[in-house]
Amino acid sequence: MSSDQKEVASFFQSVERNFDKAAKYTEFTKGLLEEIKSCNTVLQFKFPVRIGGDIEVIEGFRVQHSHHETPAKGGLRYSENVNQDEVMALAALMTFKCAVVDVPFGGAKGGVKIDARKYPAESLEKITRRYTAELCKKNAIGPGVDVPAPDYGTDARIMSWIIDTYRSYFPKDINALACVTGKGLTQGGIKGRKEATGLGVFFGIREACKMEEDMKKIGLTTGIKDKKVIIQGLGNVGYHAAKYLWEAGAKIVGILEYEGAIYNPEGFNLEEVVRTRQETGSLLNVTDAIIKNENSSKGLEWDCDILIPAALESVIHKGNADQIKAKIIGEAANGPLTPEADEILDKKGVMIIPDMYLNAGGVTVSYFEWLQNLNHIQFGRLEKRFNQNKYREILKAAETLSGKKAEANVRENMHGADEIDIVRSGLEETMIQAYREVRNVYVSTPGVENLRTAAFIVAINRIGHTYGELGIFP
Ligand code: GLU
């Protein structure tokens, strides 16, 4: 086994280790805990695709970690580093993630072992269609079976090739649109899905920063305003998390991407940084950076209040954990801390907001998208105008009774909720409720050392009780 494989194998093992730490605080039998922990289905396959005049054999995976709820749900990633252990770990995290935010899906994850940036669109389309065909043949995709979504290296365009291929296999499935989420808006997607994970990260951090007692413990005041934030990764998740924090008054003092890292204690103008990077191809061309480093990971060690790893797994490890200055780490990526780093940072008193809670915004809005597809009607369509008319009547009555006119902004807000309003409020409610539930377990269960273990306890309890209610074992 290469050292690379060892590192990745430890990713799945680390999920198992975290599970075991939490399992001892639950009341389920050893056998049921084993069932909750293990990966139910692991598919590994190779398929040929004609690229550039020759055949290329591509390796694909789909893991359904749990079937305690169906469909199984989770992203599809395109990356050269994809391998079975990684996909198993990510699928397991999906199970616990869905359970923490009370989204009724089993966990799954898929992977195709390619560097998507090296292929033209035409080849990516062929690979995606061929991968989907494999899933169709194996009955491993469908609105009630297993529903992929975007992840690292994939996007809405790839999701639309998946639906189209699925439909050609199952032309009579009237719910075909729900076979995948994270679709483009013209393909049955939902408003607000693109920014959902980043917005969820924002809601989660905002909630954590509201708790006076917890902030005091780590030497911070409450609120987001003026908090110094370092963000690793300006992809969809990282960019949106940074954007919402910045708009709420945080200072984005550090930005890390694969070409390097930049720092300014006064904070950057996020949109200008993004523009400069787009125009010049590198963060290192941002002129108001006080510190620049071509070694991007050095930026993780710079001074800040909140560090948000929003790229890949295992970026904070035994080798750099001790150098981390942040007081809060918001895990926007899946598995950004190795177990060794977790222990070191725990001992240092760093507050870690775990991935399986913090980045659950994506799958939460995927759930809304799936529901909307199954309902065959847009959220808000039936009641929006009815509510709007009622609100206006109430306002009019209030104005008549008081003899005063309401302010213009009150009048403007008297509209009924439509798709985006419903998605945003559903996401906000989900993230707030889940944080409170996790924190409550953390503060009220003697011995529970951190929010990660608390989140696992919440997840295991929810899954265990689902099994209990089903009474399903032969
Ligand atoms: N890939 C995202 C995740 O890891 C979203 C999964 C989904 O929406 O199914 O949470």
Side-chain angles (χ1 to χ4, degrees), residues 62 73-77 90 94 97-98 105 108-109 147-152 154 181-182 193 197 334 359-367:
R62 186 74 189 171
K73 186 84 187 78
L76 167 64
R77 64 170 50 187
L90 292 167
M94 283 308 302
K97 187 186 301 191
C98 290
F105 293 139
K109 202 77 169 197
V147 180
D151 198 271
Y152 184 85
T154 57
T181 60
R193 175 62 184 84
T197 312
N334 288 311
N359 70 30
V363 76
T364 301
V365 176
S366 276
Y367 171 44

Coordinates of all heavy atoms in Angstrom, one line a residue, residues 62 73-77 90 94 97-98 105 108-109 147-152 154 181-182 193 197 334 359-367, ligand 1:
R62 N -19.5 4.3 -6.7 CA -20.7 4.8 -6.1 C -20.8 4.0 -4.8 O -20.9 2.8 -4.8 CB -21.9 4.7 -6.9 CG -23.1 5.4 -6.3 CD -23.1 7.0 -6.4 NE -24.1 7.6 -5.6 CZ -24.2 8.9 -5.3 NH1 -23.2 9.7 -5.8 NH2 -25.1 9.5 -4.6
K73 N -28.3 9.5 -0.7 CA -28.0 10.9 -1.3 C -26.6 11.3 -1.1 O -26.1 11.1 0.0 CB -29.0 11.8 -0.6 CG -29.0 13.2 -1.1 CD -29.9 13.4 -2.3 CE -29.8 14.7 -3.0 NZ -28.6 14.8 -3.9
G74 N -26.0 11.9 -2.1 CA -24.7 12.5 -1.9 C -24.1 12.8 -3.2 O -24.5 12.4 -4.3
G75 N -23.0 13.7 -3.1 CA -22.4 14.2 -4.3 C -21.6 13.2 -5.1 O -21.4 12.1 -4.8
L76 N -21.2 13.7 -6.3 CA -20.4 13.0 -7.2 C -19.2 13.8 -7.5 O -19.3 15.0 -7.9 CB -21.2 12.8 -8.5 CG -20.4 12.3 -9.7 CD1 -19.8 10.9 -9.5 CD2 -21.3 12.2 -11.0
R77 N -18.0 13.3 -7.1 CA -16.8 14.1 -7.4 C -15.9 13.6 -8.5 O -15.9 12.4 -8.7 CB -16.0 14.3 -6.1 CG -15.4 13.1 -5.5 CD -14.5 13.5 -4.3 NE -15.0 14.4 -3.4 CZ -14.3 15.0 -2.4 NH1 -13.1 14.7 -2.3 NH2 -14.9 15.8 -1.6
L90 N -16.6 9.6 2.6 CA -17.5 10.7 2.3 C -19.0 10.2 2.3 O -19.8 11.0 2.7 CB -17.1 11.3 0.9 CG -15.7 12.0 0.9 CD1 -15.3 12.2 -0.5 CD2 -15.8 13.3 1.7
M94 N -22.0 11.6 4.7 CA -23.3 12.0 4.2 C -24.4 11.4 5.0 O -25.4 12.1 5.3 CB -23.5 11.6 2.7 CG -22.8 12.4 1.7 SD -23.1 14.2 1.7 CE -24.8 14.3 1.6
K97 N -24.4 13.4 8.2 CA -24.8 14.8 7.9 C -26.3 15.0 7.7 O -26.9 15.8 8.3 CB -24.1 15.2 6.5 CG -24.2 16.6 6.1 CD -23.6 16.9 4.7 CE -22.1 16.5 4.6 NZ -21.5 17.0 3.4
C98 N -26.9 14.1 6.9 CA -28.3 14.1 6.7 C -29.0 13.9 8.0 O -30.0 14.6 8.3 CB -28.8 13.0 5.7 SG -28.2 13.3 4.0
F105 N -32.6 11.1 4.3 CA -31.9 10.3 3.2 C -30.9 9.4 3.9 O -30.4 9.7 5.0 CB -31.2 11.2 2.3 CG -32.0 12.1 1.4 CD1 -31.7 13.5 1.2 CD2 -33.2 11.7 0.8 CE1 -32.4 14.3 0.4 CE2 -34.0 12.5 0.0 CZ -33.6 13.8 -0.2
A108 N -24.7 8.7 0.6 CA -24.0 8.1 -0.5 C -22.9 9.0 -1.0 O -22.9 10.2 -0.7 CB -25.0 7.8 -1.7
K109 N -22.1 8.5 -1.9 CA -21.1 9.4 -2.6 C -20.6 8.7 -3.8 O -20.6 7.4 -3.8 CB -19.9 9.7 -1.6 CG -19.1 10.9 -2.0 CD -19.9 12.1 -1.5 CE -19.1 13.4 -1.6 NZ -19.8 14.4 -0.7
V147 N -29.5 9.4 -5.3 CA -29.7 10.7 -6.0 C -28.3 11.5 -5.9 O -28.1 12.1 -4.8 CB -30.8 11.5 -5.4 CG1 -31.0 12.9 -6.1 CG2 -32.1 10.7 -5.5
P148 N -27.5 11.5 -6.9 CA -26.3 12.3 -6.9 C -26.5 13.8 -6.9 O -27.6 14.3 -7.1 CB -25.5 11.8 -8.1 CG -26.2 10.6 -8.6 CD -27.6 10.7 -8.2
A149 N -25.4 14.5 -6.7 CA -25.5 16.0 -6.7 C -24.0 16.5 -7.0 O -23.1 15.7 -7.0 CB -25.9 16.5 -5.3
P150 N -23.9 17.8 -7.2 CA -22.5 18.3 -7.4 C -21.6 18.1 -6.2 O -22.1 18.1 -5.1 CB -22.7 19.7 -7.8 CG -24.1 19.9 -8.1 CD -24.8 18.9 -7.4
D151 N -20.3 18.0 -6.5 CA -19.3 17.9 -5.4 C -18.0 18.4 -6.0 O -18.1 19.1 -7.1 CB -19.2 16.4 -4.9 CG -18.5 16.3 -3.6 OD1 -17.3 16.2 -3.5 OD2 -19.2 16.3 -2.6
Y152 N -16.9 18.1 -5.5 CA -15.6 18.6 -6.0 C -15.5 18.2 -7.5 O -15.6 17.1 -7.8 CB -14.5 18.0 -5.2 CG -13.1 18.5 -5.5 CD1 -12.6 19.7 -5.0 CD2 -12.4 17.8 -6.5 CE1 -11.4 20.2 -5.4 CE2 -11.1 18.3 -6.8 CZ -10.7 19.5 -6.3 OH -9.4 20.0 -6.7
T154 N -17.5 18.8 -10.0 CA -18.7 18.6 -10.8 C -19.6 19.8 -10.6 O -19.5 20.6 -9.7 CB -19.4 17.3 -10.5 OG1 -19.7 17.4 -9.1 CG2 -18.6 16.1 -10.8
T181 N -29.8 16.1 -8.0 CA -30.1 17.5 -7.5 C -28.9 18.4 -7.9 O -27.8 17.9 -8.3 CB -30.4 17.6 -6.0 OG1 -29.3 17.1 -5.3 CG2 -31.6 16.8 -5.7
G182 N -29.1 19.7 -7.6 CA -28.0 20.7 -8.0 C -28.1 20.9 -9.5 O -27.1 21.3 -10.1
R193 N -29.8 26.8 -4.7 CA -29.0 25.6 -4.4 C -27.6 25.9 -4.6 O -26.7 25.4 -3.8 CB -29.5 24.5 -5.4 CG -28.6 23.2 -5.3 CD -28.6 22.6 -4.0 NE -27.8 21.4 -3.8 CZ -26.5 21.5 -3.5 NH1 -25.9 22.6 -3.3 NH2 -25.8 20.4 -3.3
T197 N -24.6 25.7 0.2 CA -23.6 25.2 1.2 C -22.9 26.3 1.9 O -22.8 26.4 3.1 CB -22.6 24.2 0.5 OG1 -23.3 23.3 -0.3 CG2 -21.8 23.5 1.5
N334 N -15.3 18.7 3.5 CA -15.5 17.4 4.2 C -14.2 16.9 4.7 O -13.3 16.8 3.9 CB -16.2 16.4 3.2 CG -17.6 16.7 2.9 OD1 -18.4 17.0 3.8 ND2 -18.0 16.7 1.6
N359 N -21.4 21.9 6.8 CA -21.6 22.0 5.3 C -22.9 21.3 4.9 O -23.0 20.9 3.7 CB -20.3 21.6 4.6 CG -20.0 20.1 4.7 OD1 -20.9 19.3 4.8 ND2 -18.8 19.7 4.6
A360 N -23.8 21.1 5.8 CA -25.0 20.4 5.4 C -26.0 21.2 4.7 O -27.1 20.7 4.3 CB -25.7 19.8 6.7
G361 N -25.7 22.5 4.5 CA -26.7 23.4 3.7 C -26.9 22.9 2.3 O -28.0 23.0 1.8
G362 N -25.9 22.3 1.7 CA -26.0 21.8 0.3 C -27.1 20.7 0.2 O -28.0 20.8 -0.6
V363 N -26.9 19.7 1.1 CA -27.8 18.6 1.0 C -29.2 19.0 1.5 O -30.3 18.5 1.0 CB -27.3 17.3 1.7 CG1 -27.4 17.4 3.2 CG2 -28.0 16.1 1.2
T364 N -29.3 20.0 2.4 CA -30.6 20.4 2.9 C -31.4 21.0 1.7 O -32.6 20.7 1.5 CB -30.4 21.5 4.0 OG1 -29.7 20.9 5.0 CG2 -31.7 22.0 4.5
V365 N -30.7 21.9 0.9 CA -31.4 22.5 -0.2 C -31.6 21.5 -1.4 O -32.6 21.5 -2.1 CB -30.8 23.8 -0.7 CG1 -31.5 24.4 -1.9 CG2 -30.8 24.8 0.5
S366 N -30.8 20.5 -1.4 CA -31.0 19.4 -2.4 C -32.3 18.7 -2.0 O -33.0 18.2 -2.9 CB -29.9 18.3 -2.3 OG -28.8 18.7 -3.1
Y367 N -32.5 18.5 -0.7 CA -33.8 17.9 -0.3 C -35.0 18.7 -0.7 O -36.0 18.2 -1.3 CB -33.7 17.8 1.3 CG -34.9 17.4 2.0 CD1 -35.8 16.3 1.6 CD2 -35.3 18.0 3.2 CE1 -36.9 15.9 2.3 CE2 -36.5 17.7 3.9 CZ -37.2 16.6 3.4 OH -38.4 16.2 4.1
Ligands
GLU1 N1 -21.8 17.3 -2.3 C1 -22.5 17.9 -1.3 C2 -22.1 17.4 0.1 O1 -21.1 16.8 0.2 C3 -24.0 17.9 -1.5 C4 -24.6 16.6 -1.5 C5 -26.1 16.6 -2.0 O2 -26.7 17.6 -2.2 O3 -26.6 15.5 -2.2 O4 -22.8 17.6 1.1

